[in-house]
Amino acid sequence: MSGVRIQGILFGVAAAVCYGLSPLAAKSLYALGLTADSTLFYRYGLAALLLGGWLAWRGEGFRLTRRETAWVAALGALFGVSSLTFFASFTVMDSGLACALLFVYPAMVAAIMALGFGERLGVGRAVALAGGLAGVALLAQGGEGGVSGGGVALVMASALTYALYIVGLNHARLRLSAAKLTFYALLFGLPFVLAHGALLGRPLPQPLTSPAMLLWALMLAVVPTVLSLVLMAEAVRRIGETPTAVMGALEPLTALFVGVTCFGEALTPRLALGVLLILGAVTLVSLLPAAGRPHRHA
């Protein structure tokens, strides 16, 4: 195995683990009195400041064309809604299981491409989707392990909007770096976080009143947001998208480990089976090539 491939694998593993730590920071901020809206405000705001500084340091510039502005505004809206529903789910169900449920989004992407754009699934992907749905059904039964119907609905909404974000991103074909695209997605997603807080009568942001709150807010912005993005980009550059996507299975596993060890969250045999079905389905979807779209005459 070449040194470049080993580096890529290490970067991919580190990126997945970093992203899987987001519930640790989020739930720690909840315990200190912050709402999900304020937590996201600091995640988006601080990460955007860091990415903006990175873009300025690299001399990449901030200009967008009208087409790029329209696309990143739409993508930012999807990104914001996905984050809002995902972080809200932490308040009504165990965060580790929420992360496992969210990982169904690659299967949703495959389904959207098949139903909306005529991409053939193939037998292998169809089997994977069925397995993923079975895993979601097991987790959605509730009654144990901190699972609730409302929590499952929130995570499914988050997974769907994130799947639409990915589909839109692929079809937009924006010639922007990962850092610049994420910077604008965060920037355009921020108004949705502010609007959600205002609608619920929770003006944002709540102040960070202790060093612990500031440290957790910085950790949320740096580790599962900026650092995860940079490491993932480096992994893709060295080993490609598919192996990096497969390593993404470590994200919910990390979140599950954090939930069980740090927050005393339960993991029953039925819930564990559901998680394994989802992870197996997504891994299979990532490994199998798409069958392609049917040929259309002009």
Side-chain angles (χ1 to χ4, degrees), residues 23-275:
L24 175 62
K27 294 195 73 169
S28 296
L29 286 169
Y30 295 172
L32 292 170
L34 253 63
T35 63
D37 301 313
S38 285
T39 298
L40 274 177
F41 175 87
Y42 287 113
R43 181 194 185 196
Y44 275 41
L46 292 173
L49 283 174
L50 291 169
L51 286 169
W54 170 258
L55 292 173
W57 180 73
R58 293 186 62 188
E60 192 168 333
F62 295 90
R63 293 188 62 182
L64 294 174
T65 65
R66 288 184 179 180
R67 178 181 177 276
E68 288 170 342
T69 301
W71 269 107
V72 295
L75 292 171
L78 289 169
F79 199 74
V81 173
S82 179
S83 294
L84 278 170
T85 49
F86 183 49
F87 272 55
S89 73
F90 294 170
T91 64
V92 293
M93 71 180 295
D94 287 354
S95 58
L97 294 176
C99 289
L101 272 173
L102 181 70
F103 204 60
V104 79
Y105 75 83
M108 286 187 174
V109 170
I112 291 169
M113 293 303 297
L115 296 173
F117 299 93
E119 185 174 279
R120 297 193 186 97
L121 282 177
V123 175
R125 288 190 169 220
V127 170
L129 285 173
L133 289 174
V136 171
L138 282 174
L139 266 63
Q141 288 179 26
E144 56 179 300
V147 178
S148 69
V152 171
L154 284 169
V155 180
M156 289 297 99
S158 179
L160 179 59
T161 47
Y162 191 62
L164 291 170
Y165 170 84
I166 292 174
V167 172
L169 182 60
N170 289 339
H171 281 75
R173 296 177 181 173
L174 299 172
R175 295 185 177 181
L176 303 175
S177 68
K180 190 171 183 177
L181 176 63
T182 304
F183 168 76
Y184 278 110
L186 293 170
L187 210 59
F188 280 102
L190 198 54
F192 286 85
V193 176
L194 293 169
H196 186 260
L199 285 172
L200 296 178
R202 300 193 297 235
L204 299 181
Q206 293 172 276
L208 300 175
T209 56
S210 69
M213 293 174 78
L214 177 60
L215 286 173
W216 282 120
L218 285 170
M219 185 270 195
L220 184 62
V222 173
V223 179
T225 309
V226 175
L227 188 56
S228 178
L229 163 72
V230 173
L231 289 169
M232 183 177 65
E234 293 298 328
V236 169
R237 185 179 302 168
R238 287 166 173 78
I239 59 176
E241 293 89 340
T242 297
T244 304
V246 172
M247 288 175 200
L250 290 172
E251 294 171 12
L253 292 181
T254 301
L256 280 169
F257 177 79
V258 168
V260 172
T261 57
C262 298
F263 300 111
E265 297 176 356
L267 185 61
T268 66
R270 177 175 64 79
L271 297 180
L273 177 59
V275 169

